[in-house]
Amino acid sequence: MLTAEDKKLIQQIWGKLGGAEEEIGAEALTRMFYSYPPTKTYFPHFDLSAGSDQIRGHGKKVVAALSTAIKNIDNLSQALSELSNLHAYNLRVDPVNFKFLSQCLQVALATRLGKDYSPEVHSAVDKFMAAVASVLAEKYR
Amino acid sequence: MQGPLPVPGPPGAANDGVQGAEEGPRAAIKAGPGSGSPACDPREPEPEFLRATRSPPADTMVQWTAEEKQLITGLWGKVNVAECGGEALARLLIVYPWTQRFFASFGNLSGATAIIGNPKVQAHGKKVLTSFGEAVKNLDGIKNTFSALSELHCDKLHVDPENFRLLGDILVIVLASHLGRDFSPVCQAAWQKLVAVVAHALAHKYH
């Protein structure tokens, strides 16, 4: 469960990204496609070459959704309701993949933040991403 | 090729505070009589059909490209094993607090600051990462390298192999935070593969 401290840390760390959020989204996806090749099966219609416009565009979308979630961190279920429907009825991404994206997003954050990606921040982000994943999968069955 | 890592000596000898080798976490969880579960009972003879799977043919061995090997060994040279090992283990205990179940004898694990500053955590983290380094030195023989440690983790320590995967992912994040942009996507991919292979090798002897 996200504590008040977790929520504060997440909002702080998101604030430290200084506009690099979109880049981070694309980087997280790129890392995911490299480290977990089966994730590419969800994007047969994409150009997955490095720096592709589609990856940039999609990374931007993903990060925008996370930003929305962070702004509504006390009510993730409601804030992500549309996305939850989309994933359940349309995209049907197997939930194991949410963990892979979380890992790669965290690596992207850690490479940029170095020591600022402290154990406490790491824990808060990991919990947050797990909470988001749980909401996205909650209507699956 | 280097042989398997030596199994640590008798319990209580130099086990630096980790749960007594026979009991593992069961001592903390009030084991009933006959605490060794049937699944890990070394007295059960291994069925022949399973024994045949223990030494798979060479073509099922992990394949590393030259680039992957270079990314792994090159990066390892930059790693401060004591520092990163301690940090990785501390993060495991902080981010996934249920993993503390294996370390009841480590003293104060009451919060992130206590865990990070705990000398037993730091020492054990260094030990774990040093052992991990054997995989880096023996990329073509990882299963063999961790054979005895795998048996130890099953039979004596009773560690769910999922914990190896958790620690592996945390190690990757620690490396990322230390190396910054040098930890490129293709570098991460090689390391995610390595931690998965090590986790698999440590789980290989479970029964």
Side-chain angles (χ1 to χ4, degrees):
Chain A
M1 256 179 32
L2 289 170
T3 63
E5 182 62 22
D6 288 331
K7 294 175 186 178
K8 200 179 87 181
L9 285 173
I10 290 162
Q11 282 160 347
Q12 270 174 11
I13 214 69
W14 210 247
K16 276 198 180 137
L17 299 179
E21 290 90 343
E22 289 174 11
E23 217 180 286
I24 287 173
E27 187 185 321
L29 288 174
T30 301
R31 286 181 178 277
M32 189 180 73
F33 296 140
Y34 271 93
S35 284
Y36 307 103
T39 56
K40 294 190 288 186
T41 59
Y42 292 98
F43 300 92
H45 54 300
F46 264 32
D47 164 18
L48 294 179
S49 57
S52 94
D53 283 338
Q54 285 179 306
I55 294 187
R56 296 202 77 77
H58 198 68
K60 196 170 154 182
K61 254 194 224 173
V62 168
V63 158
L66 290 175
S67 292
T68 299
I70 290 171
K71 287 195 188 100
N72 295 279
I73 205 164
D74 287 321
N75 199 345
L76 286 179
S77 224
Q78 194 172 68
L80 297 175
S81 180
E82 285 292 315
L83 264 183
S84 181
N85 290 335
L86 186 73
H87 282 75
Y89 306 123
N90 198 309
L91 303 176
R92 292 172 292 187
V93 172
D94 192 292
V96 57
N97 296 286
F98 301 145
K99 278 195 202 161
F100 298 151
L101 180 62
S102 172
Q103 173 72 1
C104 292
L105 177 71
Q106 291 192 59
V107 167
L109 290 172
T111 58
R112 277 174 177 69
L113 297 168
K115 281 207 177 81
D116 283 353
Y117 203 68
S118 66
E120 292 91 332
V121 169
H122 177 169
S123 175
V125 172
D126 197 84
K127 285 165 79 174
F128 169 70
M129 291 300 289
V132 168
S134 175
V135 167
L136 290 180
E138 79 189 354
K139 299 171 192 172
Y140 271 39
R141 56 175 173 172
Chain B
M1 183 175 75
Q2 187 166 353
L5 288 174
V7 178
N15 67 351
D16 67 2
V18 174
Q19 285 283 334
E22 273 101 11
E23 291 306 314
R26 288 187 174 275
I29 295 166
K30 288 200 185 131
S35 63
S37 79
C40 273
D41 187 341
R43 294 167 297 179
E44 280 281 312
E46 187 177 284
E48 178 62 52
F49 73 95
L50 268 189
R51 213 173 297 145
T53 64
R54 293 289 183 208
S55 308
D59 60 14
T60 63
M61 267 171 44
V62 178
Q63 301 294 334
W64 301 99
T65 65
E67 187 190 17
E68 284 171 336
K69 287 189 175 185
Q70 170 48 34
L71 286 166
I72 289 167
T73 57
L75 194 150
W76 189 248
K78 301 182 198 167
V79 171
N80 178 329
V81 171
E83 199 187 325
C84 285
E87 191 182 331
L89 185 62
R91 283 178 187 254
L92 181 74
L93 300 173
I94 292 166
V95 180
Y96 306 114
W98 56 91
T99 58
Q100 293 170 25
R101 73 194 295 281
F102 302 110
F103 302 103
S105 66
F106 273 25
N108 188 2
L109 298 177
S110 61
T113 311
I115 291 170
I116 293 163
N118 185 312
K120 285 185 173 175
V121 171
Q122 291 297 324
H124 196 66
K126 175 181 173 183
K127 185 176 178 186
V128 167
L129 199 61
T130 301
S131 173
F132 190 92
E134 293 301 310
V136 176
K137 289 184 206 147
N138 295 286
L139 290 174
D140 292 323
I142 291 178
K143 227 171 234 176
N144 190 32
T145 301
F146 287 110
S147 173
L149 267 180
S150 180
E151 287 176 357
L152 178 79
H153 281 77
C154 174
D155 300 336
K156 306 283 190 220
L157 304 178
H158 311 293
V159 176
D160 178 348
E162 180 60 21
N163 292 284
F164 309 144
R165 294 182 259 282
L166 292 178
L167 183 61
D169 276 352
I170 287 201
L171 177 62
V172 167
I173 289 176
V174 168
L175 293 175
S177 76
H178 283 253
L179 296 162
R181 303 312 211 118
D182 283 352
F183 199 61
S184 65
V186 69
C187 190
Q188 178 190 353
W191 276 83
Q192 294 286 173
K193 183 172 167 178
L194 177 60
V195 301
V197 168
V198 169
H200 186 81
L202 280 172
H204 186 66
K205 285 298 181 74
Y206 274 59
H207 56 101

